[in-house]
Amino acid sequence: MEVLDSLLDLQQDRLLQLQAILVQEKIAILDKEASILLRLCNEKATLLAQIETDDHNIAHHPKKHLLPEQPNFSHKLKHAKALLALCQQLNTENAHLVAFNQASLNRLSQALQVSRNASSLTYNDKGKTSTLSSLGNNIKV
């Protein structure tokens, strides 16, 4: 029983850590802090692997059938599920922020390309627009 209790406590602790990482990730996305975001993504991946291992250990524990029956276990299980749902929601929100930022960058890129001198645009062999970097470099007045 103590092992199962310890596993549930560990799972809750890791879910709380994941929640904190997701909050930090949102701040890094909003502040456009790529280096912090990369570090957090690595931490999140490691933590998710640990959570998955813990979940597997809980699911294969010989006394897992007691989880819904024991009030202490039942409470911890409900709390863990609520934390997991919150983490999933935070992760979904962060994914929407990333998609929004990517769309903004794409619009900025297109605006920059349009703002270039239209006569300097040409197409490469793949049909993408590119500029002639030497255009106007040989003019001397």
Side-chain angles (χ1 to χ4, degrees):
M1 294 291 269
E2 289 180 26
V3 173
L4 191 56
D5 195 42
S6 295
L7 285 171
L8 287 171
D9 288 340
L10 184 60
Q11 188 77 316
Q12 283 186 11
D13 290 343
R14 290 195 172 147
L15 287 167
L16 286 169
Q17 291 172 20
L18 180 60
Q19 178 187 4
I21 287 174
L22 290 167
V23 169
Q24 293 172 23
E25 184 181 64
K26 182 176 185 174
I27 294 168
I29 292 168
L30 292 172
D31 293 345
K32 296 174 179 52
E33 294 286 346
S35 59
I36 294 172
L37 191 57
L38 288 172
R39 178 182 54 80
L40 291 171
C41 285
N42 288 332
E43 288 178 20
K44 182 170 73 169
T46 301
L47 194 55
L48 285 170
Q50 293 170 339
I51 290 170
E52 186 176 345
T53 300
D54 294 341
D55 191 57
H56 179 268
N57 291 338
I58 292 169
H60 291 87
H61 193 276
K63 295 188 179 181
K64 73 171 183 176
H65 64 280
L66 297 175
L67 286 175
E69 298 170 7
Q70 297 288 327
N72 185 39
F73 290 160
S74 178
H75 174 70
K76 287 183 179 184
L77 188 61
K78 286 178 185 176
H79 188 249
K81 287 182 178 183
L83 282 172
L84 179 61
L86 177 61
C87 289
Q88 289 171 333
Q89 180 182 348
L90 290 171
N91 195 56
T92 299
E93 290 172 9
N94 289 351
H96 288 288
L97 284 173
V98 167
F100 177 77
N101 281 325
Q102 285 177 328
S104 294
L105 285 172
N106 286 340
R107 285 191 305 273
L108 177 62
S109 177
Q110 290 172 355
L112 288 172
Q113 205 151 47
V114 167
S115 71
R116 292 180 184 163
N117 186 345
S119 63
S120 69
L121 288 178
T122 186
Y123 293 93
N124 63 17
D125 58 338
K126 294 179 184 158
K128 302 248 181 196
T129 57
S130 65
T131 60
L132 296 174
S133 59
S134 62
L135 186 65
N137 290 345
N138 296 331
I139 298 174
K140 296 179 183 174
V141 179

